[in-house]
Amino acid sequence: NAAQLEQATQLFNLSPAQARVAGLVLAGVELPQAAEQLGVTLNTVKTHLQRLFDKTNARSQTALISKLLGVVSPG
C-alpha cells in the first residue's frame, strides 16, 4: 500500500499534505479523525480531499481509493 501511495503521489503530483490525507483515506480513517491525527481542522482535510479529487478526476472517496490503488508500477 505504501508503494502504491508513493507511485500515486508522483503520478498525480500530490503535495505532501495531500499524500498524508490520501494515506489516511486509504486506511479507512474518517475525515474528523484524519484532521485530529494530522493536527489540522476538518475544513483543511476537506480542502486537501477536494484537491485530491481534482488531481485524480475522482468524484467520491470510493473512486479516489480505486484510482490510488489502481496505480501500477511500470514494467
Side-chain angles (χ1 to χ4, degrees):
N1 234 8
Q4 284 174 308
L5 182 58
E6 178 61 34
Q7 289 173 341
T9 297
Q10 292 175 10
L11 179 69
F12 295 116
N13 194 28
L14 305 182
S15 72
Q18 291 164 351
R20 286 190 292 274
V21 170
L24 291 173
V25 168
L26 285 174
V29 177
E30 297 291 329
L31 297 187
Q33 285 72 34
E36 193 173 304
Q37 286 183 34
L38 296 172
V40 299
T41 67
L42 180 56
N43 278 343
T44 298
V45 171
K46 288 180 178 179
T47 298
H48 290 317
L49 190 61
Q50 187 57 54
R51 299 289 180 273
L52 287 165
F53 288 165
D54 293 343
K55 288 184 174 184
T56 61
N57 289 318
R59 297 186 187 275
S60 67
Q61 286 187 41
T62 305
L64 175 65
I65 290 168
S66 292
K67 294 212 179 229
L68 294 174
L69 293 180
V71 175
V72 279
S73 57

